Amino acid sequence: MSKTKPPPSFDGATLSRRIEPKSGVDVGLPLGKQEVKVDGKKVARHYKHAAGKSSTYAPPVVDMIYHMSRSGALSDADAREFVAAKLQAEREIPAKELPPTFDQLLFLSANLTRLVIDPYREKCNTQVQVGTQRAAPLTLDWPIVFGGADFRRLPGELFACVRQAAVQARLAVFATVDQDSDPQDNPASVLMVDVDAPRLDVSHAAAIEITAPSASMLDRDTIAPVLDQLRRATGDRIPIGIAAPAFGAATVVDQTINLDVDFYVADAQWTADARPSEVFPELSAAPHIAVIADVMDRLRHHCREAAVQLVYRGGIRGGADAAKVICLGAAAVSLGLSAALAMATRINQIKGEQVLLDTLAAPMDPPQTIGQAVNFAKSVNMEVAMLARACGKSDVRNMEPEDLRAISIAVSAATGIPVAGKDYNFRPGSGNE
């Protein structure tokens, strides 16, 4: 007489692989398909997934439903034990909190507050000026500049292509120009001048950004003599701004706001005392978008929000990001890594800065490269104008924080934008957190 194997026991208390509990926690819920040993006994799943593959009812959920429906009457102790095991299994391990990003900001429908602008009948003005109180303000046909990357270190003729794209689109490029550069070859340049470097010939600059090797050097005592020298060299005709790193932006504004500054460059990529040394700082870490609110809060505190403008730098991928930054208070945004990618359309993935630079070093057709950079900037501007009209605005300068809502506490704390469905924000010091 052959021996029959006893059927594997089913204790209804083994967790499915799909919902692993915390390490070291012993809970009980129905098992997956395969047989495993629990306390030396084989335990198998009794129930088939009648629901099949479903996005609503995952196999572990079906397991739980079947188990609860077929267990029959349970004693109070068994019911408490099962419910406790189920709740423990469903409790997710807290995920690492992601940094706030522009994706966590959404536009409000204009129908809630005002009429939508008809894109076929009403134009949306996208021209902006930086340093309007100067005799020769920086005029941009679109609220866009090329910056946020060390364009001088790009391989080949890419830097020249960026400059020509800025000229064609009537925009500007932020870059340091060498002493031997032809002033007439770069009419749309915004010169970045280090406080500890010899002064360059700035007579041909459209505007000037004062920066430093470290954020701690951007104080009143260091910047004041440099700013006076630049004012004399330019005849006080062009706008001059100061870099406001994410590392201490509020301090920079407080110390320099009374130096007759025309604009600040809110650099979300500058997150440590030392200035980023990479060609593309965007590849190192996510931009600290809280720098926009840091600068704007201090400008409002000093009652200079209307007189001093903001240019944002860091992580702009397209028109939606640009429009959100403009809503937060920026006059213009910088295209850095995204502009470089636009000029090299054959890049499929980015595996690191050096690999990217090697790819950019491939031979390119300058007219086509320039055209691609212009087209990308144009598409960003078109999207900004479209979103401005959707918010009921006929001028991008009229976009405001009230056009946005946050969908996470983290981005609300970083930008001061209220969370959707609430009337308060979580930014420290706002009084509503």
Side-chain angles (χ1 to χ4, degrees), residues 307-328:
V308 180
Q309 291 162 297
L310 174 67
V311 177
Y312 174 77
R313 175 187 296 155
I316 298 296
R317 301 161 298 176
D321 291 349
K324 292 170 185 177
V325 171
I326 294 173
C327 284
L328 292 173

Side-chain angles (χ1 to χ4, degrees), residues 145-155 158-160 162 173-175 279-280 335-337 339-340 343:
V145 295
F146 292 105
D150 194 346
F151 291 118
R152 293 179 305 131
R153 292 161 60 188
L154 292 181
L158 282 178
F159 182 31
V162 173
V173 54
F174 278 67
V279 179
F280 300 109
L335 302 181
L337 176 61
M343 293 188 293

Side-chain angles (χ1 to χ4, degrees), residues 11 14 44 57 66 91-93 107 109 137 238 268 289 309 327 340 350 369:
D11 62 358
T14 307
Y57 295 98
Y66 284 169
R91 185 177 301 139
E92 295 181 359
I93 299 175
F107 289 95
S109 170
I238 65 174
I289 64 176
Q309 291 162 297
C327 284
I350 303 174
T369 303

Side-chain angles (χ1 to χ4, degrees), residues 182-197:
D182 183 3
Q184 302 302 321
D185 190 37
N186 193 23
S189 65
V190 179
L191 297 187
M192 301 171 65
V193 177
D194 271 351
V195 293
D196 64 341

